[in-house]
Amino acid sequence: MSDEKKFKSGFVNIIGNPNVGKSTLMNMLMKERLVIATHKAQTTRHRIKGILTGEDYQIVFSDTPGVLDPAYELQTKMMDAVNESLVDADVILYVVEIGEKRLKNEQVFERLQKTSTPIILLLNKIDTATPDRLNEAVEYWHELLPKAEILPISAKENVNVDLLINKIKAIIPEGPQYYPEDQLTDRSERFIVNEVIREKILLNYQKEIPYSVEVVTERFKEDLNLISIEAEIYVERDSQKGIIIGHKGESLSKVGKEAREELEKFFDKKVFLKLFVKVRKDWRSKENDLRRFGY
């Protein structure tokens, strides 16, 4: 009999309420800053795959939008991505904060309770919790999801993340290598550009502005030493366009500078970035616009 190790592969989907650290966890698992992460809720809008390949395994992670009760069509599309992730997973990573109570969408939580898919419940941000609070959380979640394995982690501080990868490797089945070993994500370079620009908008503007924004890369041309990018920032109202641009274009220039610097790190190449701001009224509630933007 051969001692050769069998190759294992599987799909691992990350779900949880907004702002519990799913995207931070994804980046730590991948050891790459693959998805945007901010302190603001609803940073993640799309389902984004991260592909982690080792000598004898390939784990395909999916970061998903935060679970919520949809208030408009964009949020409905975001929840569709979450519901899909409950169907096609070999393992579900359910991320919660210490002290958190259930998901913000009761139907999704009920599906979690009934699923036969293995669940690893991750008690995140343990670096901010006392031992007593941690023990209370373990008891609380064990009662609600008795089949789930509970693992305390800190995604930000990289506590128990390697242990989590080992646990996933033990669960996923034998299977083929679905993606080339050097591929990190299923998303295009243009998508990465869109998300980096949107992250800088989330960090630089307040209130409703970041949630009214969509970014589309219209031109991405890569030469030997330079990537030239033109991207359009869409808002819902004329007043929002003025806020995005700012006095004498200063606000937009700041976003462009920060995004360019981030993209140069990611692509390891000089980047020329040109931004335009356009109005597409109430795009978050219009099916045609959402389709155009990839939802």
Side-chain angles (χ1 to χ4, degrees), residues 20 25 40 48 64 68 84 90 96 124 126 146 163-164 207 211 228-229 237-238 248 253 269 276:
V20 293
L25 173 63
K40 292 184 178 176
I48 304 166
T64 61
L68 43 72
E84 282 174 15
D90 293 299
V96 302
N124 193 23
I126 60 167
L163 176 60
L164 172 59
K207 298 182 181 176
Y211 304 105
S228 295
I229 299 168
R237 297 191 297 277
D238 291 323
K248 294 184 178 178
S253 293
K269 192 174 282 191
F276 305 88

Side-chain angles (χ1 to χ4, degrees), residues 102 108-115 119 144-145 147:
R102 299 172 76 107
V108 174
F109 192 78
E110 286 172 7
R111 289 184 67 187
L112 261 187
Q113 290 178 308
K114 293 173 183 174
T115 187
I119 299 172
L144 277 181
L145 291 168
K147 293 180 187 174

Side-chain angles (χ1 to χ4, degrees), residues 6 21 24 38-39 60-62 74 83 87 96 139 142 153 158 164-165 172-174 177 180 182 212 226 237 258 287:
K6 300 286 187 182
T24 302
T38 77
H39 61 282
V60 183
F61 294 104
S62 279
L74 171 60
N83 283 308
V87 174
V96 302
E139 289 175 14
H142 181 68
I153 67 162
N158 199 19
L164 172 59
I165 291 174
I172 58 174
E174 291 179 11
Q177 183 173 313
D182 59 348
S212 303
L226 179 72
R237 297 191 297 277
E258 291 177 6
E287 184 72 30

